[in-house]
Amino acid sequence: MDYHEIRYEVRNGVGWIRLNRPDKLNALTTRLAQETLDALASAREDEGIRCLVITGEGRGFSAGQDLTEFTAATGGDGGGGLDVAEHLRSGYNRMITSIVELPMPSIAAVNGVAAGAGLSLALACDVRIASDAARFLQAFVKIGLVPDSGGNWLLPRIVGFAKALEMSITGDLLDAQEALRIGLVHRVVPADEFETAVTEFAERMAGGPTLAIGATKALMSDALRLSLTETLEREAVTQADLAGSSDFAEGIGAFLDKREPDFTGH
Ligand code: T3D
């Protein structure tokens, strides 16, 4: 697929998806969603990619659904030709599950404002690194909608129920420091150091034991709905698998040799 509304590149084991409608703060169109899905599928299939970064071009991360496209499609009152539920299922819902189910670590590099479904894309990633220019809002309520794209599931798990509900029913804008304080992002970096800081962290993740990292993601998210007994058993089975991996042999060897490990993700 030719990409027009995203840029996708692979560098040093890291796949970079750059949302690329800077004049519209990377508001999400149907085309942008399909291109992002295509890039996510490529990343998933590519053994050379051991970390994925999603970021935005220009001064925005993403302002959520493109409201011009949405208004044209619905006639502005939901009565137009667009099947809104199907639009969510075929685009947003697939993007969110594709990100969450990635076998490698995912990083949202939030360079600027993240609103509505744009914020949901960031929430679906494992790690959120924000520029000090980033801002965050659950914009849906401002246009009379409920959070979608997993906003009702992801946000309370990240910042807790009370803060998630407050953000969702007020639509208030949070700056990067407030986002850090409530645990919405993991780290805030000055804008002029942002690209370097994200690259360093992403490449560090790409050099990690990818099998163990992917298995940790699956174990920990499943553990939120399983019992301790069930989780203990899953840990035992997973650990037995990983104990046969090359990365385990390399990790042990490096420890005994007093050197840095050279993990390959196998
Ligand atoms: O089925 C479905 O698709 C339903 C799914 C819904 C999912 C959703 O995401 S709903 C939420 C949609 N998003 C919003 O409601 C946010 C709307 N945008 C804003 O509130 C503000 O733009 C921001 C707070 C994000 C940023 O404000 P500011 O002052 O920094 O920038 P700006 O001047 O408002 O925006 C700059 C340009 O981007 C401007 O275009 P122009 O006038 O220079 O040509 C603005 O119109 C455009 N833009 C910003 N957000 C959107 C947008 N264009 C289309 N859609 C947008 N969401």
Side-chain angles (χ1 to χ4, degrees):
M1 179 184 263
D2 288 337
Y3 297 143
H4 298 274
E5 299 195 352
I6 67 166
R7 283 174 48 210
Y8 177 59
E9 60 178 334
V10 180
R11 216 174 50 223
N12 298 331
V14 180
W16 291 79
I17 295 177
R18 295 178 189 273
L19 310 179
N20 191 23
R21 300 185 67 229
D23 294 348
K24 299 296 174 189
L25 304 178
N26 304 313
L28 305 165
T29 60
T30 303
R31 174 166 199 154
L32 187 151
Q34 293 308 318
E35 290 181 7
T36 302
L37 278 167
D38 190 79
L40 286 166
S42 299
R44 192 187 174 94
E45 296 307 312
D46 186 342
E47 278 210 8
I49 297 183
R50 291 163 64 198
C51 179
L52 185 97
V53 177
I54 301 178
T55 192
E57 291 288 350
R59 72 177 181 90
F61 176 75
S62 171
Q65 167 64 35
D66 186 301
L67 295 178
T68 309
E69 180 191 74
F70 190 65
T71 307
T74 59
D77 60 2
L82 183 73
D83 180 336
V84 174
E86 203 42 46
H87 186 239
L88 285 169
R89 289 185 194 111
S90 62
Y92 292 100
N93 296 4
R94 288 178 60 214
M95 274 195 290
I96 296 301
T97 49
S98 297
I99 297 168
V100 168
E101 291 171 1
L102 282 170
M104 73 282 283
S106 56
I107 300 171
V110 188
N111 53 302
V113 69
L119 176 55
S120 295
L121 290 183
L123 299 175
C125 291
D126 301 319
V127 176
R128 281 161 293 287
I129 303 178
S131 152
D132 59 6
R135 294 170 292 155
F136 303 82
L137 73 157
Q138 278 298 59
F140 306 90
V141 68
K142 295 199 159 190
I143 54 170
L145 294 180
V146 296
D148 60 30
S149 313
N152 295 295
W153 197 92
L154 295 162
L155 191 59
R157 283 171 167 76
I158 293 169
V159 300
F161 183 87
K163 202 69 207 176
L165 189 59
E166 182 191 1
M167 285 179 69
S168 302
I169 64 174
T170 64
D172 285 349
L173 200 64
L174 271 56
D175 65 19
Q177 286 305 331
E178 178 65 359
L180 181 65
R181 194 185 69 77
I182 67 170
L184 179 54
V185 300
H186 296 82
R187 197 171 145 197
V188 176
V189 179
D192 58 354
E193 297 166 22
F194 185 64
E195 185 84 11
T196 305
V198 172
T199 302
E200 279 174 10
F201 184 71
E203 292 184 1
R204 179 182 143 205
M205 285 289 103
T210 318
L211 284 179
I213 292 172
T216 303
K217 285 175 56 167
L219 273 174
M220 204 171 280
S221 59
D222 287 353
L224 290 173
R225 62 177 173 78
L226 296 176
S227 68
L228 175 60
T229 308
E230 289 166 318
T231 301
L232 287 166
E233 179 53 25
R234 281 187 176 217
E235 289 170 353
V237 170
T238 307
Q239 208 70 300
D241 278 350
L242 289 172
S245 71
S246 302
D247 278 347
F248 177 63
E250 170 62 12
I252 294 285
F255 174 76
L256 295 176
D257 296 347
K258 299 190 187 302
R259 61 174 171 80
E260 287 300 311
D262 180 15
F263 293 121
T264 60
H266 293 103

